[in-house]
Amino acid sequence: MKRCHHALVCSLLLLGSSVPSLAWAPFERKAAYEEVALSASEQQKVQQAAGWAKQSDTELLIEVKNSLPGPLACHGATVHLLSGATVSKSFLPRLYVPTAATRQGAVGGVKKGQMKDFSVTCMCWKKPGDSVCGNPSTNPNGK
């Protein structure tokens, strides 16, 4: 019996890659989500507001409200000052904004009364070929 088992193992090793593999891959993703930039119409569904903290006239608070069907990952904010200068801040970790939720981030060094305008860079997750933001944490394989 040992010889038969040994012969079977040896023949499988010798055949190697010529035998088709029927292996099960539990971590295979059939329809993976990708992080993508928001379209113009999606951007309109994300409300952004800015104002200064009560304790400081140099810390700008930026608020993002998500009305999209999937969560957002906001990477950072850019503030244009009246003087022509620009202040950029990366959010580390990224500002995660679930569906129907509001989150705040801060940009230091922006003195009250000096801001011309601001923008926040946010992205969502979509399956390749989809046009709607989705939630990869609740439906990672698209089933």
Side-chain angles (χ1 to χ4, degrees):
M1 183 70 167
K2 282 186 178 181
R3 284 185 189 204
C4 181
H5 179 30
H6 182 68
L8 178 62
V9 169
C10 287
S11 65
L12 287 175
L13 289 173
L14 289 173
L15 290 173
S17 63
S18 64
V19 175
S21 174
L22 299 176
W24 175 63
F27 301 109
E28 180 181 343
R29 295 184 121 182
K30 291 180 174 56
Y33 282 85
E34 297 174 352
E35 192 172 334
V36 298
L38 299 178
S39 68
S41 63
E42 289 166 336
Q43 189 68 44
Q44 291 177 350
K45 295 178 182 175
V46 177
Q47 297 172 354
Q48 301 173 2
W52 281 264
K54 290 180 184 178
Q55 304 85 0
S56 172
D57 66 347
T58 59
E59 185 167 5
L60 180 68
L61 297 178
I62 295 180
E63 186 174 86
V64 178
K65 182 178 180 185
N66 181 10
S67 299
L68 294 171
L72 296 174
C74 298
H75 294 249
T78 301
V79 180
H80 299 281
L81 304 178
L82 294 172
S83 66
T86 300
V87 177
S88 294
K89 162 77 181 207
S90 293
F91 298 135
L92 293 174
R94 289 183 267 171
L95 188 64
Y96 180 79
V97 187
T99 300
T102 302
R103 297 290 186 269
Q104 288 184 345
V107 179
V110 180
K111 190 159 176 68
K112 194 173 191 174
Q114 298 298 312
M115 182 178 76
K116 180 179 178 183
D117 61 19
F118 74 99
S119 62
V120 181
T121 303
C122 296
M123 301 178 92
C124 73
W125 289 269
K126 294 180 184 178
K127 292 181 200 171
D130 277 1
S131 61
V132 178
C133 296
N135 190 344
S137 65
T138 60
N139 194 8
N141 292 326
K143 292 181 181 177

